[in-house]
Amino acid sequence: MQRYFFSLLLTFCTLVCLAQPKVVAHRGYWTTEGSAQNSIASLQKAAEIGCWGSEFDVWMTADGIPVVFHDATIDGIRIEDTTYATLMNHRLQNGEFIPTLQQYLTEAKRLTNCRLIFEIKQHRNEKRDCRISELSVELVNMLGLADRTDYISFSKHVCKRIHELAPKAKVAYLNGELSPKEIKELGWTGIDYNTKVFDKHPDWPLEAKRLGLEVNVWTVDGEEALTHFAQMPGIDIITTNEPEKLIRMKK
């Protein structure tokens, strides 16, 4: 009898552990010394503290070079409208140069314990959305990172093109207006929505799970919010600017 109850307890504990949301560092682990948003250092530091994944953002320059940066502009220069030669000498807050996607993924290949949450930014038109999607999948495949890369975007064109190019890849939509049922019908694999979307539609995480979709919530900061979403049924992944805090809370 004692052995039976011990077995039940072990099973329960295992299920609880498996149900804990995975931790994704938003734009890498940048809220720490020597780091900066979307820097190679932020990727390295996310891997060092044991994040399940690290999120990063990609734009394409006027001459077709994918670069890792969040904002559409840097120092007043619009990335889509300028060449890489013009951008290459601009620095991030930690002193790093803006990394090209190839430089970033080359370092990611070395960090085998960290998954890549690859946000392709919404460009000015469908043609550029499709082109950056093609370049991104090409680089990911060339470097042998397809099994470790999940794609996310606010652009339906991007999500559609990625799904066409890499039908086995995980593709999640960010904008928040599509229901889990609509996402499933499009053939994409998940929803990656802001906290406000799930506050408005608290039933969507479990609906998504019933449909076999993965559920990510962003950007969750502060102990109260982290606790709330960590305990919300149906949440698989939490994207946060405070990954170290969430990792400690899970222990």
Side-chain angles (χ1 to χ4, degrees):
M1 182 65 71
Q2 188 176 10
R3 181 178 296 178
Y4 172 75
F5 282 115
F6 177 77
S7 177
L8 282 179
L9 179 62
L10 182 62
T11 301
F12 173 77
C13 291
T14 301
L15 288 172
V16 168
C17 290
L18 288 173
Q20 290 184 328
K22 302 178 182 73
V23 180
V24 169
H26 184 233
R27 304 177 197 170
Y29 184 24
W30 62 272
T31 54
T32 188
E33 186 177 355
S35 193
Q37 294 184 13
N38 280 310
S39 62
I40 288 177
S42 71
L43 171 64
Q44 294 167 336
K45 291 176 185 294
E48 285 171 8
I49 65 169
C51 290
W52 174 81
S54 188
E55 185 263 354
F56 62 101
D57 308 278
V58 173
W59 286 98
M60 183 175 66
T61 64
D63 53 342
I65 305 298
V67 295
V68 180
F69 197 73
H70 177 267
D71 294 349
T73 63
I74 179 168
D75 299 332
I77 299 170
R78 183 165 292 277
I79 293 172
E80 283 196 79
D81 294 337
T82 193
T83 63
Y84 175 66
T86 304
L87 285 177
M88 64 186 297
N89 292 321
H90 289 266
R91 293 180 182 266
L92 304 176
Q93 288 187 342
N94 67 341
E96 283 185 34
F97 293 110
I98 297 175
T100 65
L101 178 58
Q102 184 162 356
Q103 290 167 341
Y104 191 92
L105 292 180
T106 298
E107 176 60 17
K109 185 175 178 67
R110 189 182 67 82
L111 304 170
T112 57
N113 63 321
C114 192
R115 196 160 186 85
L116 302 173
I117 313 303
F118 188 152
E119 179 177 346
I120 298 177
K121 303 302 287 187
Q122 185 166 13
H123 288 60
R124 68 163 55 91
N125 55 46
E126 182 178 354
K127 182 178 179 180
R128 287 184 65 80
D129 275 354
C130 289
R131 183 56 183 152
I132 183 59
S133 300
E134 292 158 4
L135 290 171
S136 298
V137 170
E138 181 181 327
L139 275 171
V140 165
N141 289 342
M142 182 183 77
L143 290 167
L145 291 168
D147 291 342
R148 288 176 48 208
T149 302
D150 299 346
Y151 297 95
I152 59 176
S153 185
F154 284 95
S155 167
K156 294 176 186 175
H157 297 139
V158 167
C159 290
K160 179 181 177 182
R161 188 64 181 132
I162 293 292
H163 183 56
E164 291 170 348
L165 293 165
K168 293 183 180 180
K170 289 184 178 181
V171 178
Y173 185 55
L174 290 166
N175 207 43
E177 85 281 9
L178 296 181
S179 70
K181 182 175 182 293
E182 290 171 307
I183 294 293
K184 183 70 174 180
E185 289 171 350
L186 287 164
W188 304 339
T189 60
I191 55 174
D192 191 344
Y193 288 165
N194 183 263
T195 57
K196 293 178 181 178
V197 176
F198 292 129
D199 289 339
K200 184 178 179 180
H201 300 284
D203 56 318
W204 277 9
L206 283 180
E207 181 184 340
K209 297 309 297 174
R210 286 194 294 270
L211 293 169
L213 300 175
E214 194 166 53
V215 181
N216 192 337
V217 57
W218 59 271
T219 302
V220 187
D221 295 328
E223 190 164 339
E224 183 178 349
L226 288 168
T227 300
H228 171 69
F229 283 102
Q231 295 176 349
M232 180 179 284
I235 298 294
D236 297 301
I237 303 164
I238 293 176
T239 298
T240 176
N241 291 313
E242 301 175 312
E244 194 165 23
K245 179 181 289 186
L246 182 55
I247 288 169
R248 287 199 306 268
M249 288 171 61
K250 289 177 58 177
K251 290 181 179 179

